[in-house]
Amino acid sequence: MLDQSLSQFILFAVTILSAVLAALWLGLILWTFRDMRMRSRDVLAQVAAALMVAVLNIFGVLLYLMLRPRETLSEAYERSLEEESLLQAIEEKPICPGCGRPSNVLWQVCPHCHTRLKKPCLACGELLDLPWNLCPYCATPQVVPVAQPEAQPNGRRRRSAAAVETPDQETASLEFVDNDEF
């Protein structure tokens, strides 16, 4: 009777252990298939990963863990969105050098701190960056003519060069100072 109850206990334990191992085996196959489906759109790769785990069992899972793609499809998508967002933030948003707030490329003055951002062209009125001395739109030099006094206090005389014609038929003059010693 002891032998019969011991053999029934062993049979019961082996049955339970077999059922647990079978459930674990099926669970690993399903987990591998679902995990690969989140990492790849290739159906053949999904099926191959599940078959590898089905045939090789634990060794198949270890091999799959070594060979699977690092990122899921959603992680790769989120990373690409984040990179695109950072690039747009860097490329498209000019900021005011005075206060650091976002500005518009069409503004001449920052509305927050009143820092001068652009200057209009003397000839065509297009907005130019402050350090530009030549308008790229109409090729007009951006030199403001200085009023010429008739007599200098030190006795030097100023003379003007001949007028230079621009493509728009506007004139600009150059000034020279006589009797300068260098």
Coordinates of all heavy atoms in Angstrom, one line a residue, residues 55-114:
V55 N 11.9 24.8 -31.1 CA 12.8 23.7 -31.3 C 13.9 23.6 -30.3 O 14.2 22.6 -29.7 CB 13.4 23.8 -32.8 CG1 14.5 22.7 -33.0 CG2 12.3 23.6 -33.8
L56 N 14.5 24.8 -30.0 CA 15.7 24.8 -29.1 C 15.4 25.0 -27.6 O 16.3 25.0 -26.8 CB 16.7 25.8 -29.6 CG 17.3 25.5 -31.0 CD1 18.2 26.6 -31.4 CD2 18.0 24.2 -31.0
N57 N 14.1 25.4 -27.3 CA 13.6 25.6 -26.0 C 14.4 26.7 -25.3 O 14.5 27.8 -25.8 CB 13.7 24.3 -25.2 CG 12.7 24.3 -24.1 OD1 12.1 25.3 -23.8 ND2 12.5 23.1 -23.4
I58 N 15.0 26.5 -24.1 CA 15.7 27.5 -23.3 C 16.9 28.0 -24.1 O 17.2 29.3 -24.1 CB 16.2 26.9 -22.0 CG1 15.0 26.6 -21.1 CG2 17.1 27.9 -21.3 CD1 14.2 27.8 -20.7
F59 N 17.6 27.2 -24.8 CA 18.7 27.7 -25.6 C 18.3 28.6 -26.8 O 19.0 29.5 -27.2 CB 19.5 26.5 -26.2 CG 20.1 25.6 -25.1 CD1 19.7 24.3 -24.9 CD2 21.1 26.1 -24.3 CE1 20.2 23.6 -23.8 CE2 21.7 25.3 -23.3 CZ 21.2 24.1 -23.0
G60 N 17.1 28.3 -27.3 CA 16.5 29.2 -28.3 C 16.2 30.5 -27.8 O 16.3 31.5 -28.5
V61 N 15.7 30.6 -26.5 CA 15.3 31.9 -25.9 C 16.6 32.7 -25.7 O 16.7 33.9 -26.0 CB 14.6 31.7 -24.6 CG1 14.5 33.0 -23.8 CG2 13.2 31.1 -24.8
L62 N 17.7 32.0 -25.2 CA 19.0 32.7 -25.0 C 19.5 33.2 -26.3 O 20.0 34.3 -26.4 CB 19.9 31.7 -24.3 CG 19.6 31.3 -22.9 CD1 20.6 30.3 -22.3 CD2 19.6 32.6 -22.0
L63 N 19.4 32.4 -27.3 CA 19.9 32.8 -28.7 C 19.1 34.0 -29.2 O 19.6 34.9 -29.8 CB 19.9 31.6 -29.6 CG 20.5 31.8 -31.0 CD1 22.0 32.1 -30.9 CD2 20.3 30.6 -31.8
Y64 N 17.8 33.9 -29.0 CA 16.9 35.0 -29.4 C 17.2 36.3 -28.7 O 17.3 37.4 -29.3 CB 15.4 34.7 -29.2 CG 14.5 35.8 -29.4 CD1 14.2 36.4 -30.6 CD2 13.9 36.5 -28.3 CE1 13.4 37.5 -30.8 CE2 13.1 37.6 -28.4 CZ 12.9 38.1 -29.7 OH 12.1 39.2 -29.8
L65 N 17.5 36.2 -27.4 CA 17.8 37.4 -26.6 C 19.1 38.0 -27.1 O 19.3 39.3 -27.0 CB 17.9 37.1 -25.1 CG 16.6 36.8 -24.4 CD1 16.8 36.3 -23.0 CD2 15.7 38.0 -24.5
M66 N 20.1 37.2 -27.6 CA 21.3 37.8 -28.1 C 21.1 38.4 -29.5 O 21.8 39.4 -29.8 CB 22.4 36.7 -28.2 CG 22.9 36.3 -26.8 SD 24.3 35.2 -26.9 CE 23.5 33.6 -27.3
L67 N 20.2 37.9 -30.3 CA 20.1 38.3 -31.7 C 19.0 39.3 -32.0 O 19.0 39.9 -33.0 CB 19.9 37.1 -32.6 CG 21.0 36.1 -32.6 CD1 20.6 34.9 -33.5 CD2 22.3 36.7 -33.1
R68 N 18.1 39.5 -31.1 CA 16.9 40.4 -31.3 C 17.3 41.8 -31.5 O 18.4 42.3 -31.0 CB 15.9 40.2 -30.2 CG 16.3 40.9 -29.0 CD 15.2 40.7 -27.9 NE 15.6 41.5 -26.7 CZ 14.8 41.7 -25.7 NH1 13.6 41.2 -25.7 NH2 15.2 42.3 -24.6
P69 N 16.5 42.6 -32.2 CA 16.8 44.1 -32.3 C 16.7 44.8 -31.0 O 15.9 44.4 -30.1 CB 15.7 44.6 -33.3 CG 15.2 43.4 -34.0 CD 15.4 42.2 -33.1
R70 N 17.6 45.8 -30.8 CA 17.6 46.5 -29.5 C 16.4 47.3 -29.2 O 15.9 47.3 -28.1 CB 18.8 47.4 -29.5 CG 20.1 46.7 -29.4 CD 21.3 47.7 -29.3 NE 22.5 47.0 -29.4 CZ 23.7 47.5 -29.4 NH1 23.8 48.8 -29.4 NH2 24.8 46.8 -29.4
E71 N 15.9 47.9 -30.2 CA 14.7 48.8 -30.0 C 13.4 48.2 -30.5 O 13.4 47.5 -31.5 CB 14.9 50.1 -30.7 CG 15.9 51.0 -30.2 CD 16.0 52.3 -31.0 OE1 15.9 52.3 -32.3 OE2 16.1 53.4 -30.4
T72 N 12.3 48.5 -29.8 CA 11.0 48.2 -30.3 C 10.7 49.2 -31.4 O 11.3 50.3 -31.5 CB 10.0 48.1 -29.2 OG1 9.8 49.5 -28.7 CG2 10.3 47.2 -28.1
L73 N 9.7 48.9 -32.2 CA 9.3 49.8 -33.2 C 8.8 51.1 -32.6 O 9.1 52.2 -33.2 CB 8.2 49.2 -34.1 CG 8.6 48.0 -34.9 CD1 7.4 47.3 -35.6 CD2 9.7 48.4 -35.9
S74 N 8.1 51.1 -31.5 CA 7.6 52.3 -30.9 C 8.7 53.1 -30.3 O 8.7 54.4 -30.4 CB 6.5 52.0 -29.8 OG 7.1 51.2 -28.8
E75 N 9.7 52.5 -29.7 CA 10.9 53.2 -29.2 C 11.6 53.9 -30.4 O 12.1 55.1 -30.2 CB 11.8 52.3 -28.5 CG 11.3 51.8 -27.2 CD 12.2 50.7 -26.6 OE1 13.0 50.1 -27.3 OE2 12.0 50.4 -25.4
A76 N 11.8 53.3 -31.5 CA 12.5 53.8 -32.7 C 11.7 55.0 -33.2 O 12.2 56.1 -33.6 CB 12.7 52.8 -33.7
Y77 N 10.3 54.9 -33.2 CA 9.5 56.0 -33.7 C 9.6 57.2 -32.8 O 9.7 58.3 -33.2 CB 8.1 55.5 -33.8 CG 7.1 56.5 -34.3 CD1 7.1 57.0 -35.6 CD2 6.1 57.0 -33.4 CE1 6.2 58.0 -36.0 CE2 5.2 58.0 -33.8 CZ 5.3 58.5 -35.1 OH 4.4 59.4 -35.5
E78 N 9.5 56.9 -31.5 CA 9.6 58.0 -30.5 C 11.0 58.7 -30.6 O 11.1 59.9 -30.5 CB 9.4 57.5 -29.1 CG 7.9 57.1 -28.8 CD 7.8 56.5 -27.5 OE1 8.7 56.4 -26.7 OE2 6.6 56.0 -27.2
R79 N 12.0 58.0 -30.8 CA 13.4 58.5 -30.9 C 13.5 59.4 -32.1 O 14.0 60.5 -32.1 CB 14.4 57.4 -30.9 CG 15.9 58.0 -31.0 CD 16.9 56.9 -31.0 NE 16.6 55.8 -31.9 CZ 16.7 55.7 -33.2 NH1 17.2 56.8 -33.9 NH2 16.4 54.7 -33.9
S80 N 12.9 58.9 -33.2 CA 12.9 59.7 -34.5 C 12.1 61.0 -34.3 O 12.5 62.1 -34.8 CB 12.5 58.9 -35.7 OG 11.1 58.7 -35.6
L81 N 11.0 60.9 -33.6 CA 10.2 62.2 -33.4 C 10.9 63.1 -32.5 O 10.9 64.4 -32.8 CB 8.9 61.8 -32.7 CG 7.8 61.2 -33.6 CD1 6.5 60.9 -32.8 CD2 7.4 62.1 -34.7
E82 N 11.6 62.6 -31.5 CA 12.4 63.5 -30.6 C 13.5 64.2 -31.4 O 13.8 65.4 -31.2 CB 12.9 62.7 -29.5 CG 13.7 63.5 -28.4 CD 14.2 62.6 -27.3 OE1 13.6 61.6 -27.0 OE2 15.1 63.0 -26.6
E83 N 14.2 63.4 -32.2 CA 15.3 64.0 -33.0 C 14.8 65.1 -33.9 O 15.4 66.1 -34.1 CB 16.1 62.9 -33.8 CG 16.9 62.0 -32.9 CD 17.5 60.8 -33.7 OE1 17.1 60.7 -34.9 OE2 18.2 60.0 -33.1
E84 N 13.7 64.8 -34.6 CA 13.1 65.8 -35.5 C 12.7 67.0 -34.8 O 12.9 68.1 -35.3 CB 11.9 65.1 -36.2 CG 11.3 66.0 -37.3 CD 10.2 65.3 -38.0 OE1 10.2 64.1 -38.2 OE2 9.3 66.0 -38.4
S85 N 12.1 66.9 -33.6 CA 11.7 68.0 -32.8 C 12.9 68.8 -32.4 O 12.8 70.1 -32.4 CB 10.9 67.5 -31.6 OG 10.6 68.6 -30.7
L86 N 14.0 68.2 -32.0 CA 15.2 68.9 -31.6 C 15.8 69.7 -32.8 O 16.2 70.8 -32.6 CB 16.2 68.0 -31.0 CG 15.8 67.4 -29.6 CD1 16.9 66.4 -29.2 CD2 15.8 68.6 -28.6
L87 N 15.8 69.1 -33.9 CA 16.3 69.7 -35.1 C 15.5 70.9 -35.5 O 16.0 72.0 -35.9 CB 16.4 68.7 -36.3 CG 17.5 67.7 -36.2 CD1 17.5 66.7 -37.3 CD2 18.9 68.4 -36.2
Q88 N 14.2 70.8 -35.4 CA 13.3 72.0 -35.7 C 13.5 73.1 -34.7 O 13.6 74.2 -35.1 CB 11.9 71.5 -35.7 CG 11.4 70.8 -36.9 CD 9.9 70.4 -36.9 OE1 9.3 70.5 -35.9 NE2 9.4 70.0 -38.0
A89 N 13.7 72.7 -33.5 CA 13.9 73.8 -32.4 C 15.2 74.5 -32.7 O 15.3 75.7 -32.5 CB 13.9 73.1 -31.1
I90 N 16.2 73.8 -33.1 CA 17.5 74.4 -33.4 C 17.5 75.2 -34.6 O 18.0 76.4 -34.7 CB 18.6 73.3 -33.5 CG1 18.9 72.7 -32.1 CG2 19.9 73.9 -34.0 CD1 19.8 71.4 -32.2
E91 N 16.9 74.7 -35.7 CA 17.0 75.4 -37.0 C 16.0 76.6 -37.2 O 16.4 77.6 -37.8 CB 16.7 74.4 -38.1 CG 17.8 73.3 -38.2 CD 17.5 72.3 -39.3 OE1 16.4 72.3 -39.8 OE2 18.3 71.4 -39.5
E92 N 14.8 76.5 -36.7 CA 13.8 77.4 -37.1 C 13.5 78.6 -36.1 O 12.9 79.5 -36.5 CB 12.5 76.6 -37.3 CG 12.5 75.7 -38.5 CD 11.2 75.0 -38.7 OE1 10.3 75.3 -37.9 OE2 11.2 74.1 -39.5
K93 N 14.0 78.5 -34.9 CA 13.6 79.5 -34.0 C 14.7 80.5 -33.7 O 15.6 80.2 -32.9 CB 13.1 78.9 -32.7 CG 11.9 78.1 -32.8 CD 11.4 77.6 -31.5 CE 10.1 76.8 -31.6 NZ 9.7 76.2 -30.4
P94 N 14.6 81.7 -34.3 CA 15.6 82.7 -33.9 C 15.3 83.3 -32.6 O 14.1 83.3 -32.2 CB 15.4 83.8 -35.0 CG 14.1 83.6 -35.5 CD 13.7 82.1 -35.3
I95 N 16.3 83.7 -31.8 CA 16.1 84.2 -30.5 C 16.7 85.6 -30.4 O 17.6 86.0 -31.2 CB 16.7 83.3 -29.4 CG1 18.2 83.2 -29.6 CG2 16.0 82.0 -29.3 CD1 18.9 82.6 -28.4
C96 N 16.2 86.4 -29.6 CA 16.7 87.8 -29.4 C 18.0 87.7 -28.6 O 18.1 87.0 -27.6 CB 15.7 88.6 -28.5 SG 16.3 90.2 -28.1
P97 N 19.0 88.4 -29.1 CA 20.3 88.4 -28.4 C 20.3 89.1 -27.1 O 21.1 88.9 -26.2 CB 21.3 89.0 -29.4 CG 20.5 89.8 -30.3 CD 19.1 89.1 -30.3
G98 N 19.3 90.0 -26.9 CA 19.2 90.8 -25.7 C 18.6 90.1 -24.5 O 19.1 90.0 -23.4
C99 N 17.4 89.5 -24.8 CA 16.6 88.8 -23.7 C 16.6 87.3 -23.8 O 16.1 86.7 -22.9 CB 15.2 89.4 -23.6 SG 14.2 89.1 -25.1
G100 N 16.9 86.8 -25.0 CA 16.9 85.3 -25.2 C 15.5 84.7 -25.5 O 15.4 83.5 -25.6
R101 N 14.5 85.6 -25.6 CA 13.2 85.1 -26.0 C 13.1 84.8 -27.5 O 13.8 85.4 -28.3 CB 12.2 86.1 -25.6 CG 12.0 86.3 -24.1 CD 11.0 87.2 -23.7 NE 10.9 87.4 -22.3 CZ 10.0 88.2 -21.7 NH1 9.2 89.0 -22.4 NH2 10.0 88.3 -20.4
P102 N 12.2 83.9 -27.9 CA 12.0 83.7 -29.3 C 11.6 84.9 -30.0 O 10.8 85.7 -29.5 CB 10.9 82.6 -29.4 CG 10.9 82.0 -28.0 CD 11.4 83.0 -27.1
S103 N 12.2 85.1 -31.2 CA 11.8 86.3 -32.0 C 11.4 85.8 -33.4 O 11.4 84.6 -33.7 CB 13.0 87.2 -32.1 OG 14.0 86.7 -32.9
N104 N 10.9 86.7 -34.2 CA 10.5 86.5 -35.6 C 11.5 87.0 -36.5 O 12.1 88.1 -36.3 CB 9.1 87.1 -35.8 CG 8.4 86.7 -37.1 OD1 9.1 86.5 -38.1 ND2 7.1 86.5 -37.0
V105 N 11.7 86.3 -37.7 CA 12.7 86.8 -38.6 C 12.3 88.1 -39.3 O 13.1 88.8 -39.9 CB 13.0 85.7 -39.7 CG1 13.7 84.5 -39.1 CG2 11.7 85.3 -40.4
L106 N 11.0 88.5 -39.2 CA 10.6 89.7 -39.9 C 10.6 90.9 -38.9 O 10.2 92.0 -39.3 CB 9.1 89.5 -40.4 CG 9.0 88.4 -41.4 CD1 7.5 88.2 -41.8 CD2 9.9 88.7 -42.7
W107 N 11.0 90.7 -37.7 CA 11.0 91.8 -36.7 C 12.2 92.7 -36.8 O 13.3 92.1 -37.0 CB 10.9 91.3 -35.3 CG 9.6 90.6 -34.9 CD1 8.4 90.7 -35.6 CD2 9.3 89.9 -33.7 NE1 7.4 90.0 -35.0 CE2 8.0 89.5 -33.8 CE3 10.1 89.5 -32.6 CZ2 7.4 88.8 -32.8 CZ3 9.5 88.8 -31.6 CH2 8.1 88.4 -31.7
Q108 N 12.0 94.0 -36.8 CA 13.2 94.9 -36.7 C 13.7 95.1 -35.3 O 14.9 95.2 -35.0 CB 12.8 96.2 -37.3 CG 12.7 96.3 -38.8 CD 12.5 97.7 -39.3 OE1 12.8 98.7 -38.6 NE2 12.0 97.8 -40.5
V109 N 12.7 95.0 -34.3 CA 13.0 95.3 -32.9 C 12.4 94.2 -32.1 O 11.3 93.8 -32.4 CB 12.5 96.7 -32.5 CG1 12.8 96.9 -31.0 CG2 13.2 97.7 -33.4
C110 N 13.0 93.7 -31.0 CA 12.4 92.8 -30.1 C 11.3 93.5 -29.3 O 11.6 94.6 -28.7 CB 13.5 92.2 -29.1 SG 12.8 91.1 -27.9
P111 N 10.1 93.0 -29.3 CA 9.0 93.7 -28.5 C 9.2 93.6 -27.0 O 8.5 94.3 -26.3 CB 7.7 93.0 -29.0 CG 8.2 91.6 -29.5 CD 9.6 91.8 -30.0
H112 N 10.0 92.7 -26.5 CA 10.2 92.5 -25.1 C 11.2 93.5 -24.5 O 11.0 94.2 -23.5 CB 10.5 91.1 -24.8 CG 9.5 90.1 -25.3 ND1 8.3 89.9 -24.8 CD2 9.6 89.3 -26.4 CE1 7.6 89.0 -25.5 NE2 8.4 88.6 -26.5
C113 N 12.4 93.5 -25.1 CA 13.5 94.3 -24.6 C 13.9 95.4 -25.4 O 14.9 96.2 -25.1 CB 14.7 93.4 -24.3 SG 15.5 92.7 -25.8
H114 N 13.3 95.6 -26.6 CA 13.6 96.7 -27.5 C 15.0 96.7 -28.1 O 15.5 97.7 -28.5 CB 13.3 98.0 -26.9 CG 11.9 98.2 -26.3 ND1 10.8 98.5 -27.0 CD2 11.5 97.9 -25.0 CE1 9.8 98.5 -26.2 NE2 10.1 98.1 -25.0

